[in-house]
Amino acid sequence: MDVVAASWAGTEFVHVPPGGFVMGSTAGDPLAWGYEHPRHTVVLDYGYWIGRTPATNEQFAGFVEATGHVTRAEEEGWAFVFDPATERWERTPGASWRHPTGPAGDAGRLSDHPVVSVSWHDARAYCEWFDECCGADLPDGLGVRLPGEAGWEKAARGPDGPVYPWGDRFEPAYCNHIESPARATVPAATLPPASESVYGAAAMSGNTWDWTTTLWGAVRDEAQFSYPYDPADGREDLAASDDVFRIIRGGSFKNEPQACRSACRDLDPPGWSLNNLGFRPVLAPPR
């Protein structure tokens, strides 16, 4: 399949055509986390564009400079930081997107790394700014927003539903995961082109989780919104309270390969900021 790419405001997007794709995992799959089944076909009857990579520190800095936006972590004075030495999360004073590992960290030296330590609300604010700035130049009928989990998964798996963006077998060199040497984020450009999805989306396995708009529910251990995926059942409610978890996708540098599968669903409160969690925008029809 030929990759179709285009850029708006210095951000590269790849095109995902309309049509059906295989979502989820089969019941009994030993790799599957809970609430990934049944494996089913979802039809997205519209084409859309997804960021080839997650939003970077440089891109997010441009948004902050233009708007004066203050992130949730900066307002609260802390963010969660994963300590590779102890393999534990620490509530770290002074951590934010500017200082993803704490006050001594400096995102300015990591301009091409994915931005992290941004809440779901911060990610949405970025998309709204992007849309306002570039709306006149975008394809007709499309706006900038965060992806729903179905749009994210289709961009990662293509129509046929392989386990990872590149195929069914895990390839350690294709993915920044817990056994990789970095133990932190890396620029998406450092990953091999063979790691990209069939549509050309990069770093969709490992490195950082991506926020989605999709709701999980109010109970961490029980998915209120299970499969088959139905966008009309309330799971895409953008006005839900911060007490309801949002789904994140893709795995990260602190995760095992099992969490870096394209079907894996995890969750976080939308107000949280973690140094392995970022986002990638999409250009899609309004909901």
Side-chain angles (χ1 to χ4, degrees):
M1 183 179 297
D2 293 334
V3 172
V4 179
S7 294
W8 288 274
T11 299
E12 188 175 9
F13 292 82
V14 293
H15 190 253
V16 181
F21 75 102
V22 176
M23 186 173 189
S25 302
T26 56
D29 183 341
L31 293 178
W33 291 14
Y35 307 104
E36 288 182 19
H37 55 270
R39 186 174 166 97
H40 59 292
T41 297
V42 174
V43 177
L44 301 181
D45 59 1
Y46 55 88
Y48 58 99
W49 300 80
I50 191 166
R52 194 183 77 81
T53 70
T56 65
N57 283 311
E58 181 177 24
Q59 291 164 342
F60 197 79
F63 154 64
V64 169
E65 182 178 356
T67 64
H69 181 82
V70 178
T71 63
R72 183 70 63 93
E74 290 171 302
E75 289 179 345
E76 297 180 344
W78 65 275
F80 287 109
V81 175
F82 181 73
D83 184 347
T86 63
E87 296 193 351
R88 295 181 60 184
W89 285 104
E90 302 290 346
R91 180 169 165 158
T92 304
S96 70
W97 77 273
R98 299 179 190 273
H99 307 288
T101 57
D106 181 8
R109 294 184 290 104
L110 307 171
S111 61
D112 56 353
H113 286 235
V115 66
V116 293
S117 302
V118 288
S119 72
W120 182 81
H121 300 287
D122 299 322
R124 282 198 69 205
Y126 176 94
C127 293
E128 290 169 359
W129 166 78
F130 196 127
D131 188 73
E132 184 177 336
C133 289
C134 302
D137 298 324
L138 300 178
D140 289 345
L142 302 185
V144 186
R145 59 175 174 83
L146 293 177
E149 69 167 331
W152 190 98
E153 187 167 334
K154 181 178 181 180
R157 304 183 84 175
D160 299 326
V163 176
Y164 299 97
W166 54 83
D168 289 333
R169 179 178 175 178
F170 184 69
E171 300 287 350
Y174 289 3
C175 173
N176 182 23
H177 62 293
I178 196 167
E179 296 177 5
S180 301
R183 307 289 276 174
T185 61
V186 300
T190 64
L191 298 170
S195 68
E196 297 176 359
S197 78
V198 68
Y199 300 120
M204 297 200 82
S205 176
N207 206 26
T208 58
W209 292 96
D210 289 340
W211 282 113
T212 77
T213 54
T214 308
L215 295 171
W216 169 271
V219 180
R220 178 176 287 277
D221 296 327
E222 181 180 347
Q224 177 183 348
F225 298 102
S226 57
Y227 284 171
Y229 177 85
D230 179 1
D233 66 1
R235 72 182 67 205
E236 296 296 345
D237 180 7
L238 298 178
S241 76
D242 277 9
D243 295 331
V244 185
F245 294 94
R246 298 274 174 180
I247 292 198
I248 61 176
R249 287 304 202 105
S252 78
F253 65 82
K254 71 159 289 287
N255 291 109
E256 301 284 348
Q258 183 180 10
C260 299
R261 295 172 301 109
S262 299
C264 183
R265 312 171 79 204
D266 205 357
L267 58 146
D268 271 315
W272 278 16
S273 307
L274 303 94
N275 77 320
N276 72 335
L277 175 54
F279 68 95
R280 68 179 77 211
V282 297
L283 311 182
R287 292 204 176 105

